[in-house]
Amino acid sequence: MITDLDLPVLAKAEVVVCGAGPAGVAAALAAARSGARVILLEQTGCCGGMSTAGLVPVFIHMSDRKNLVAAGICHEIISEMCRRMGQSKINFIWQHIHPEILKQVYDEKLSEAGVTTFFDVKVADTIMNGDTLNAVAVATVQGLKKICGKVWVDATGDGIVAAAAGVPFELGDAQGKTMSPTLCVQYSNIDLEAMREAEQRGEGAIPLWKKHKQQIPLAEHHIIGISEYGNGSGSGNLGHIYDVNTLDEAERSHCYTEGRRVANIIHDFYVKYVPGYEKSDLTATASLLGIRESRRILGEYQLTLSDYLEKRHFSDDIGCFYYGIDIHASSTNPEEQLNVGKRMDECNSSYEPGDNYGIPYRALIARKVRNLLVAGRCISAERPVQASLRVMPCCMITGVAAGCAAALAKDDGEIRALPAESLQREIRTTGAYLP
């Protein structure tokens, strides 16, 4: 945190959104469509975060199996992606992603809304005046500069802005261990017809992994397979990188080299054992590491496991969600890997179609800073709940709410003074679902 810094001003706006993943894109669109001048900052060269640069293969659980809880901006973007993919109907539970098409959709929607997007800029520090965030220092191709704003949305996933501003946070489990990340992959030259026929015979990648995993030099209990798109292409959330601290710079760097090693081992398995993949190519590993867990920023309210189990709703709900408590193992310990699924089943057994839990606005308000909201997987929640809401449709739900709140507070930055009813009314104008 810096109190003052004499840096050249790169740009200024009423609302500044840091991070252009699903949460950040949704926040920027919602704020701009609500009448604010918006800047969106992204450290990579494209919008979409895990849905594009991260090669995450699917959008999961837009629905609670009865209600479209990720209606509005999330549904709008995915609908357009599916239309350009030639797909007439969205799979609201398990929708495959074409990352290159999705990049174009994000670009066009943001441009139409009048959002100013900066790529290749990375937040280096915050510039504070007491409890007010005035600017962020960003690393650019011309060195350090600053971007100024009235209201801020931290959608970096890692809570970089909030942590730099001195907001307290939690990390990992009771011992500080974080869920294992994944470096997702992209395959081409898949014989999709042979693959589908094999899956119908029960000879798909998942059962074959269980059958042959003793011959594969990886301590990996299971894999989830490849999600197809295009003409013989697909992306896969394959393999884990264990025993790493996702906030340690050296260990995070190691994840990329280790992820590429794991990717080649798993691709060898596909070529050798899985019908349809005999001539497939490992076209790419992701340019962005798939981090499931790092900081959980502490807000004015922290969502608890009890909230999840009781399907609790709040007077200041900004949305609702349902996805299982999906905690991935942090180590290669086979007992830990097996217990992950058992614990998830125990926690989720009470949820029926149409059941969901509420997300209060207070969980998006960062403590100790007057004008800072958080969105995405770093919002204020206990670890089990974060393991549910970290997936991309929910990141977009919280992004929309943060963007609407930022736009309403753009004149004075007083995000805590917003009446819940006014915010909820603004959120509904985006087409979002609020029960």
Side-chain angles (χ1 to χ4, degrees):
M1 183 195 315
I2 306 170
T3 54
D4 191 16
L5 195 62
D6 186 19
L7 291 175
V9 175
L10 176 59
K12 59 178 65 176
E14 293 166 327
V15 175
V16 182
V17 180
C18 301
V25 168
L29 285 174
R33 291 174 179 179
S34 294
R37 289 182 289 107
V38 181
I39 288 172
L40 177 62
L41 307 180
E42 171 54 36
Q43 65 178 339
T44 70
C46 67
C47 292
M50 297 317 304
S51 64
T52 53
L55 294 179
V56 167
V58 288
F59 284 103
I60 54 177
H61 282 259
M62 294 175 64
S63 165
D64 62 12
R65 296 168 291 171
K66 182 178 179 181
N67 307 295
L68 183 59
V69 294
I73 286 175
C74 179
H75 180 255
E76 172 191 340
I77 288 170
I78 295 173
S79 293
E80 181 59 20
M81 178 193 72
C82 289
R83 186 189 70 79
R84 298 186 191 191
M85 290 169 66
Q87 181 180 330
S88 60
K89 189 177 180 180
I90 300 172
N91 185 328
F92 293 123
I93 301 299
W94 197 262
Q95 174 56 53
H96 296 183
I97 295 172
H98 192 307
E100 204 59 36
I101 288 176
L102 189 54
K103 289 177 190 177
Q104 296 168 15
V105 174
Y106 286 137
D107 286 344
E108 292 171 16
K109 295 289 184 183
L110 290 163
S111 177
E112 290 165 5
V115 174
T116 300
T117 304
F118 287 97
F119 296 112
D120 272 344
V121 296
K122 185 173 179 62
V123 173
D125 211 334
T126 55
I127 301 172
M128 306 290 295
N129 180 13
D131 65 352
T132 298
L133 174 56
N134 283 345
V136 293
V138 293
T140 79
V141 69
Q142 295 192 56
L144 283 179
K145 295 188 176 184
K146 66 183 176 183
I147 291 178
C148 305
K150 289 283 189 68
V151 187
W152 299 80
V153 178
D154 184 342
T156 62
D158 292 321
I160 293 170
V161 177
V167 181
F169 61 87
E170 294 178 344
L171 176 69
D173 62 12
Q175 289 74 46
K177 293 183 178 179
T178 56
M179 285 188 269
S180 52
T182 293
L183 195 68
C184 293
V185 299
Q186 185 180 66
Y187 290 175
S188 62
N189 295 324
I190 305 167
D191 185 335
L192 295 176
E193 184 176 349
M195 179 194 76
R196 294 186 193 113
E197 289 175 354
E199 288 175 347
Q200 291 176 356
R201 298 193 305 267
E203 296 179 353
I206 295 173
L208 288 172
W209 181 272
K210 293 179 180 178
K211 180 178 179 180
H212 297 291
K213 68 180 180 180
Q214 297 303 322
Q215 285 76 51
I216 301 164
L218 279 180
E220 186 68 64
H221 174 62
H222 75 285
I223 60 172
I224 64 168
I226 293 286
S227 295
E228 65 180 82
Y229 60 85
N231 185 18
S233 297
S235 297
N237 189 349
L238 298 179
H240 296 80
I241 305 159
Y242 292 108
D243 297 305
V244 296
N245 175 354
T246 55
L247 288 185
D248 182 281
E249 296 91 341
E251 293 185 24
R252 194 154 166 156
S253 297
H254 164 74
C255 286
Y256 284 94
T257 54
E258 176 63 9
R260 289 187 278 271
R261 185 186 76 86
V262 168
N264 278 280
I265 291 172
I266 294 178
H267 184 240
D268 288 345
F269 153 77
Y270 269 84
V271 170
K272 184 174 182 179
Y273 294 111
V274 184
Y277 289 87
E278 295 86 352
K279 296 182 180 180
S280 67
D281 293 318
L282 173 57
T283 310
T285 52
S287 58
L288 191 61
L289 182 65
I291 294 176
R292 296 180 171 90
E293 177 185 25
S294 58
R295 296 183 184 94
R296 300 189 305 277
I297 299 303
L298 293 178
E300 297 295 306
Y301 183 84
Q302 184 181 43
L303 274 164
T304 67
L305 177 58
S306 174
D307 294 333
Y308 177 94
L309 295 174
E310 297 297 326
K311 308 164 196 172
R312 193 164 288 141
H313 284 262
F314 306 86
S315 62
D316 61 338
D317 272 355
I318 51 79
C320 60
F321 199 60
Y322 165 68
Y323 173 60
I325 293 177
D326 188 7
I327 299 178
H328 288 230
S330 60
S331 76
T332 58
N333 183 307
E335 184 177 353
E336 182 189 359
Q337 293 190 29
L338 288 168
N339 283 339
V340 165
K342 293 178 183 177
R343 289 196 301 268
M344 181 176 174
D345 291 341
E346 290 170 1
C347 288
N348 303 333
S349 60
S350 65
Y351 270 77
E352 299 291 338
D355 288 343
N356 52 64
Y357 59 89
I359 304 170
Y361 174 53
R362 289 163 292 158
L364 277 57
I365 300 174
R367 294 183 192 175
K368 300 178 69 173
V369 181
R370 187 180 64 87
N371 56 339
L372 175 62
L373 295 152
V374 293
R377 64 174 169 84
C378 62
I379 72 167
S380 183
E382 289 182 347
R383 191 180 196 229
V385 188
Q386 189 272 347
S388 166
L389 58 78
R390 64 182 173 80
V391 297
M392 294 186 292
C394 192
C395 289
M396 297 185 87
I397 291 169
T398 60
V400 167
C404 287
L408 289 174
K410 63 185 173 62
D411 293 329
D412 58 14
E414 295 294 346
I415 57 176
R416 288 167 176 80
L418 295 178
E421 297 83 0
S422 298
L423 175 56
Q424 290 162 344
R425 187 162 52 248
E426 189 68 22
I427 290 169
R428 285 190 174 98
T429 68
T430 70
Y433 175 78
L434 268 172

